[in-house]
Amino acid sequence: AQSVTQLDSQVPVFEEAPVELRCNYSSSVSVYLFWYVQYPNQGLQLLLKYLSGSTLVESINGFEAEFNKSQTSFHLRKPSVHISDTAEYFCAVSDPAAGNKLTFGGGTRVLVKP
Amino acid sequence: EAQVTQNPRYLITVTGKKLTVTCSQNMNHEYMSWYRQDPGLGLRQIYYSMNVEVTDKGDVPEGYKVSRKEKRNFPLILESPSPNQTSLYFCASSYRDRVLPGELFFGEGSRLTVL
């Protein structure tokens, strides 16, 4: 079974500074990868996804993630954060061999300070 | 507006008192699922449904029941709630595609406290 590890449970960061959220998954077989974001008191929303093709994927609000198959990682980055990026971020892996079952990491809480 | 609606959003109950959390989606999605969110554990799947009358256990099904009599509804039933079921619950839905996974659409969550 897949497992997903988000190495940092909390990441405090100053506004306009860069941020990187780390995500590693357990299996080296072909998988699909996602980042979901949860703003305070809301449900999760899809931020970006990797299904195939270019290993660098981007979201509309400036986040990007790079799929690294050899390191089984899918780290999320943003070069300059805003206060509005304060949220919890979840990495998730979908395993086609398991009917596309989605497995979530434990989440990383990002607190952007002015 | 496309949405997944859960009710109630907040509930405090006592051990053993049966309760149901409703979930309804208006996107004609085949796939629906329940998750519970606990600090540091992320989201863990309780039950899921590929289509009407088709349900299956997720990773943490003990103490829960579900039904899928209609495509749009997927209620979560706690027959005899216990304090370890105190959690934040999310319902989610998506189109079902065996080749590519669909985007999951989440409800706003139901915070349940069992005393």
Side-chain angles (χ1 to χ4, degrees), chain A:
Chain A
Q2 284 282 352
S3 66
V4 181
T5 303
Q6 293 183 241
L7 294 166
D8 305 297
S9 59
Q10 291 190 66
V11 174
V13 57
F14 286 105
E15 194 173 17
E16 297 184 6
V19 70
E20 178 179 78
L21 310 183
R22 296 175 290 172
C23 172
N24 289 88
Y25 59 96
S26 59
S27 174
S28 60
V29 299
S30 294
V31 294
Y32 303 119
L33 298 156
F34 305 82
W35 277 98
Y36 280 82
V37 58
Q38 183 181 29
Y39 297 107
N41 300 313
Q42 294 185 27
L44 282 72
Q45 305 170 34
L46 181 66
L47 185 61
L48 49 75
K49 61 185 177 185
Y50 170 79
L51 301 180
S52 65
S54 172
T55 57
L56 185 66
V57 291
E58 298 177 353
S59 72
I60 59 173
N61 57 353
F63 282 93
E64 64 178 30
E66 186 159 20
F67 168 54
N68 188 319
K69 187 174 181 178
S70 63
Q71 297 188 4
T72 59
S73 67
F74 191 53
H75 302 331
L76 181 70
R77 303 182 185 92
K78 188 169 185 179
S80 176
V81 295
H82 304 291
I83 295 289
S84 59
D85 293 323
T86 293
E88 189 156 18
Y89 294 80
F90 292 92
C91 182
V93 172
S94 176
D95 186 350
N100 283 326
K101 173 183 165 60
L102 201 63
T103 301
F104 287 88
T108 299
R109 193 175 296 275
V110 173
L111 176 59
V112 181
K113 302 176 181 180

Side-chain angles (χ1 to χ4, degrees), chain B residues 2-4 23-33 49-52 68 70-74 91-97 102-106:
Chain B
Q3 57 186 4
V4 179
C23 174
S24 181
Q25 51 93 6
N26 63 359
M27 295 169 279
N28 203 35
H29 286 162
E30 296 87 2
Y31 180 89
M32 296 186 75
S33 181
S49 169
M50 294 291 198
N51 214 325
V52 176
R68 187 90 182 274
E70 304 165 287
K71 198 171 188 179
R72 62 183 294 128
N73 296 323
F74 191 45
C91 180
S93 70
S94 76
Y95 290 111
R96 170 165 163 65
D97 187 324
E103 173 183 350
L104 274 177
F105 290 84
F106 283 83

